[in-house]
Amino acid sequence: NPLGSEGASHIVDVVFLGGPMVSLVMSDCQIGLEGVVKIAEAVEASTSLCSLCLSNERKQVLGGMKFSNEIDGMGASLLAHALEQSYTLTRLDLSGCQIGVKGLQALGEVLKPVNYTRSAPDSSVDYKGIVSSWEQRALFAATGTRGALRCLALSTCLLGPEGAEALKHVLLRNPALVGLDLSQSGIMGTGVAHICIALGANPKYHVDSNTTLTSLNLQCCQAYAAGATHVADMVRHNNHLRRLNLSDNDVGAVGARLIADALKVNMSLEHLDLAKNNLGEDGAVYVAEALAVNVRLCGLDISYNGVGDAGATALARAIDKNKSLTLLDVTANLHVSALGAWYLSVAAKSKPTGWDRRLRYRGLPSHLQVRADLPRMLSVADHKRVL
C-alpha cells in the first residue's frame, strides 16, 4: 500500500503506543526518507522490537506510481544509527532497497564490534530463547548489548562487487551476525570472492575470518564456475557455516567438481542448495562422490539440473554409503527415467531408521509408482533394441 512518509509516521505512532511490538513489516509502502526517520526513532526507543522488514518485494506500478520504499544510502545511515542504540532488534530486511555502498558502510560501522562482550554478554543466555521468550528478552536488554543485529537481508539490492567488498570488511570483524541474504544482489563472481574471503577462503585472512555466520544465501549472484572456485575454498576451510544457498548460479559441472571436492573434507555444512546450476550428469556424479564420504550434510537440493540415469545411479550408490543425508531434492530432472528413479527409491528404502533417520526425497515418484511403471518402461526399451 502507498502509505507515504506521513502514513508511515502515523502507523508507527499507533503501533508503538498500542503496546509491545515484536515484529513490524512495512514492505512496498513508499515511506520515503521522512518515514525512515520516524521508524528509526521508534527502533531506537523500542524495548521489544526484534524484527523489522522494509523490503520492496513487488515493485508494482499502478496508475504511474511505483509502490516501493525509497530507502537509499541516507536512509540506511539513519537506520544504522538506530541499530547502534537498539537493545532488541535482531533481524533487518532491506531487500530491494538501493542503499548503495554508502549505506553498507554505515551499517558496517554499526556491525563492527566495540568489544566482544557487546555480542555475548552472558554465554549462558540462549539466543533462540531470547527471541521467543519475554522474560529472557528482558534479561537480554538488562545485560546491555546495543547493536544486537543477528540477521541481515539485502536480497535484490544490486550491490555489485563494490558492495560485496564493503561487506567483506564488515564480516571480517563482526562477531555477532549469523544470517546474511545476498540473493540476486548482482555481486557477480568478484563479489562472491570477497564474501568467501571473509569466511575463510583465503588463508591470508584466516586469523580475522568470520566464525559466527551460519547461514549464507548467494542465490542468483552470477557466480559461475569462477565464483565456485572461491566458494569451494570457503567450504573447505570454514567450520562454522551450516546453510549455503548457491542455486541459480550456473556453476556447471566444473564448479560442481570444485565444490564436491571441498565437501569431502567439510565438517560443518548441513544444508546445500545447488538447484538450477546446469550440473548435468557429470556434475551429479561429482556430488555423489562427495556424498559417499561426507558425514555432516543433511539436506541437498540438485533440482532443475538436467540430471539423468547415470547421475541418479551414482547418487543411489553414494546414498547407500552416506549416513547423514535426510533430504534430497531431485525435482524436474526430466532425464531420470523409471530405472534411475527405481535405483534412488531402493536406496532410500534400504536406509535404516535410527539416529540418521530415513531419507526423504522431493520430486521423485513414490516407490510403489516407480515399481508399477518400471516393467512397462523396460519392455519399451527392450522393444526399441529389437527394432
Side-chain angles (χ1 to χ4, degrees), residues 19-283:
M21 171 63 62
V22 177
S23 178
L24 178 61
V25 179
M26 300 187 70
S27 300
D28 304 293
C29 289
Q30 202 177 12
I31 58 177
L33 186 59
E34 293 180 7
V36 173
V37 171
K38 192 68 176 181
I39 291 172
E41 292 174 353
V43 167
E44 187 172 340
S46 174
T47 59
S48 62
L49 189 66
C50 293
S51 177
L52 175 62
C53 178
L54 300 175
S55 63
N56 294 320
E57 297 176 356
R58 294 185 298 273
K59 295 186 178 179
Q60 292 179 336
V61 176
L62 183 61
M65 181 180 294
K66 181 181 289 188
F67 293 178
S68 61
N69 294 326
E70 300 171 3
I71 301 176
D72 54 10
M74 179 62 71
S77 300
L78 293 170
L79 290 170
H81 177 74
L83 283 171
E84 193 171 19
Q85 304 302 317
S86 173
Y87 285 89
T88 58
L89 193 68
T90 57
R91 185 180 188 278
L92 177 62
D93 189 345
L94 295 177
S95 298
C97 299
Q98 305 311 312
I99 61 175
V101 176
K102 179 181 178 181
L104 278 175
Q105 290 173 342
L107 289 170
E109 288 301 311
V110 176
L111 292 171
K112 71 178 182 180
V114 174
N115 53 56
Y116 283 89
T117 60
R118 174 170 139 171
S119 64
D122 184 356
S123 59
S124 65
V125 178
D126 178 61
Y127 169 65
K128 292 183 178 178
I130 291 169
V131 174
S132 61
S133 167
W134 282 106
E135 292 77 16
Q136 285 186 322
R137 190 178 297 116
L139 177 62
F140 185 69
T143 54
T145 58
R146 291 181 178 177
L149 194 68
R150 296 295 184 270
C151 299
L152 179 61
L154 299 174
S155 175
T156 66
C157 281
L158 302 181
L159 303 176
E162 298 82 3
E165 185 175 8
L167 273 174
K168 178 185 75 172
H169 298 295
V170 172
L171 291 172
L172 282 171
R173 57 191 181 184
N174 181 271
L177 206 64
V178 297
L180 180 61
D181 184 355
L182 296 176
S183 57
Q184 302 181 62
S185 57
I187 61 176
M188 300 187 287
T190 303
V192 169
H194 286 307
I195 300 300
C196 292
I197 287 172
L199 296 175
N202 190 333
K204 177 182 176 181
Y205 294 93
H206 275 182
V207 175
D208 298 320
S209 62
N210 184 286
T211 59
T212 58
L213 200 73
T214 60
S215 178
L216 177 62
N217 189 345
L218 295 175
Q219 178 188 10
C220 196
C221 283
Q222 304 173 41
Y224 306 117
T229 302
H230 301 285
V231 172
D233 288 337
M234 176 189 69
V235 170
R236 181 175 289 105
H237 296 107
N238 187 293
N239 294 318
H240 307 277
L241 199 64
R242 299 290 181 267
R243 289 179 174 270
L244 174 61
N245 187 341
L246 199 64
S247 62
D248 204 4
N249 273 289
D250 198 18
V251 301
V254 174
R257 182 182 61 186
L258 296 169
I259 294 171
D261 287 343
L263 274 177
K264 293 177 182 178
V265 297
N266 181 274
M267 296 296 292
S268 65
L269 202 63
E270 296 177 353
H271 298 274
L272 176 62
D273 191 340
L274 292 174
K276 300 181 180 179
N277 267 300
N278 195 27
L279 302 185
E281 295 280 46
D282 292 339

Side-chain angles (χ1 to χ4, degrees), residues 298 323-326 348 351-360:
C298 299
K323 294 184 178 181
S324 62
L325 197 68
T326 59
K351 296 289 289 182
T353 57
W355 68 269
D356 62 336
R357 301 180 296 278
R358 189 177 294 279
L359 175 64
R360 296 180 294 113

Side-chain angles (χ1 to χ4, degrees), residues 7 308 362:
R362 285 180 184 163

